[in-house]
Amino acid sequence: ETGVTQSPTHLIKTRGQQVTLRCSSQSGHNTVSWYQQALGQGPQFIFQYYREEENGRGNFPPRFSGLQFPNYSSELNVNALELDDSALYLCASSPADRAYEQYFGPGTRLTVT
Amino acid sequence: QKEVEQDPGPLSVPEGAIVSLNCTYSNSAFQYFMWYRQYSRKGPELLMYTYSSGNKEDGRFTAQVDKSSKYISLFIRDSQPSDSATYLCAMRGSNSGYALNFGKGTSLLVTP
């Protein structure tokens, strides 16, 4: 059974640029959630996707957007990058009948300079 | 006041010790309680989850939830150097969507 995978592992962007992060959910999981983890902090919920629809959103501005595809993989897009967007971005997938069980990928470390 | 409070540590114990990790929370609507382990530069790994109050045991790990005190604990018996990691508590309500509310994490070091 393949776990949650994310790409890229690391990337460096300049303030004002746009970035797309990708996530493949664990086999059999149809719900994907995205979190931002700043250094020394716990993950903060960005949003969740279920059946290709946004199913909940945390306290993040609209420049954070996402997509879920028919194969349940997902993308996180961030526009107009700010220095404070530097963080570890985590994707988590859940099985349909146990959405509270969230299994995380290794994350993408984004640095904004 | 944050909804979930967790002492960041660091907590250093000798190998073989019993470790107690704790979180407090303020939202009485929380019903699901999880513990994650996160190694440096890795994603969090789900260790255990508990619904409502009570205890749950899995090998060397025991999770306890006291909803009356809004207090949860994770105990690690016979701690090993490989247990050295950051431990994150997380929780969510039944009707608040599926967002997990995390603590800051407690850094644990088990020394040989």
Side-chain angles (χ1 to χ4, degrees), chain B residues 39-112:
Chain B
Y39 292 111
S40 181
R41 299 186 173 277
K42 302 289 186 184
E45 172 193 0
L46 179 61
L47 286 175
M48 300 180 69
Y49 66 88
T50 311
Y51 174 70
S52 194
S53 285
N55 295 355
K56 187 173 184 178
E57 187 173 322
D58 184 2
R60 296 185 296 113
F61 298 88
T62 299
Q64 287 186 353
V65 175
D66 181 350
K67 292 194 68 182
S68 63
S69 302
K70 296 190 179 67
Y71 188 89
I72 70 170
S73 301
L74 178 71
F75 297 95
I76 307 174
R77 291 182 298 281
D78 187 25
S79 56
Q80 303 295 310
S82 59
D83 295 327
S84 299
T86 295
Y87 289 79
L88 295 153
C89 64
M91 47 198 81
R92 60 158 282 240
S94 296
N95 300 316
S96 58
Y98 300 121
L100 293 181
N101 298 273
F102 281 86
K104 277 187 167 184
T106 298
S107 176
L108 172 66
L109 177 64
V110 181
T111 56

Side-chain angles (χ1 to χ4, degrees), chain A residues 8-19:
Chain A
T9 306
H10 302 88
L11 74 166
I12 301 173
K13 289 287 189 177
T14 303
R15 189 172 48 186
Q17 286 188 316
Q18 177 266 342
V19 69

